[in-house]
Every structure is written in C-alpha cells, then in structure tokens.
Amino acid sequence: MRREYRKSSLAFRLVRTAIDYARAKGFRTMYGHARHDLVDFWARFGFRPIPDRPHFSFSGVDYVEMEGAIPGTGPQVGRNRSPYVIIRPEGDWDKPGPLDPPESRAAA
C-alpha cells in the first residue's frame, strides 16, 4: 500500500473486506506473509506469527509467516451447498443467480 494511505482507515477496510470475503467462501483460517515491522498491524485482526517457523528475507525485507482464525458465521460456499449456490456469480452466493431454477429467482 502506498505510504500516504498507510495511516488512513483504508488499510483496515481492505483487510476487513478480505477477511469477510474469505469467510463467505467458507475459509476458517487465513495464512500470509507479513513484513516484520507490520506484525502488530496484522495482530489487530487476530493474526499471529506461526511458532517455530523461521523468518525469511526477500529483496532485503524481513518477513514473518502468520495465520489467523476466521470465525464462522452462517452458511459457507462449498460442496455441502446446493450446486446452484456454488455456481452463482462470485461474491453473490446469497442471491439467486442467472442459472438458478426460475421458481427460486422469482421468489427472490
């Protein structure tokens, strides 16, 4: 993220949106690499460094492997759902899609 936006609320909104999106897809854990100096930022969202994993450097910048639990809420997108839900347009799994049977589209 560009330096001038790092202290704005934009970074927080981006992370929260990404977590909500992963939750809607049914993920329960997120994994990523954080710059060493941003570990506290990611900790605000529940991410923790993975124990016993070495830090690594890429292009002269130190990184830490982190993971965070995503509390589940509501139904997930996955093989336990109706095939019509799974093939709906990305991000609109809670809305009847163009391939849903006509009777379910009319009910919505």
Side-chain angles (χ1 to χ4, degrees), residues 15-104:
V15 172
R16 286 185 189 110
T17 298
I19 291 170
D20 289 344
Y21 187 77
R23 179 183 296 116
K25 293 281 286 204
F27 292 102
R28 295 294 171 248
T29 304
M30 290 184 82
Y31 165 87
H33 305 129
R35 280 189 357 214
H36 190 268
D37 61 323
L38 294 177
V39 168
D40 289 340
F41 170 80
W42 289 101
R44 294 176 186 174
F45 301 98
F47 288 83
R48 300 286 177 253
I50 299 174
D52 303 320
R53 296 293 295 172
H55 297 188
F56 63 96
S57 182
F58 182 75
S59 295
V61 178
D62 292 328
Y63 288 88
V64 177
E65 287 182 88
M66 300 187 78
E67 65 183 352
I70 304 172
T73 58
Q76 310 167 24
V77 176
R79 62 187 174 103
N80 59 334
R81 295 292 300 278
S82 160
Y84 294 111
V85 171
I86 296 169
I87 62 173
R88 288 177 181 161
E90 190 75 12
D92 285 337
W93 305 288
D94 58 338
K95 301 175 193 157
L99 301 176
D100 280 67
E103 62 274 9
S104 63

Side-chain angles (χ1 to χ4, degrees), residues 1-18 35 37-38 41-42 45 63:
M1 179 176 284
R2 291 178 58 109
R3 184 173 303 282
E4 62 265 27
Y5 296 107
R6 290 183 191 161
K7 296 198 188 272
S8 74
S9 64
L10 180 60
F12 292 88
R13 289 183 12 221
L14 286 170
V15 172
R16 286 185 189 110
T17 298
R35 280 189 357 214
D37 61 323
L38 294 177
F41 170 80
W42 289 101
F45 301 98
Y63 288 88

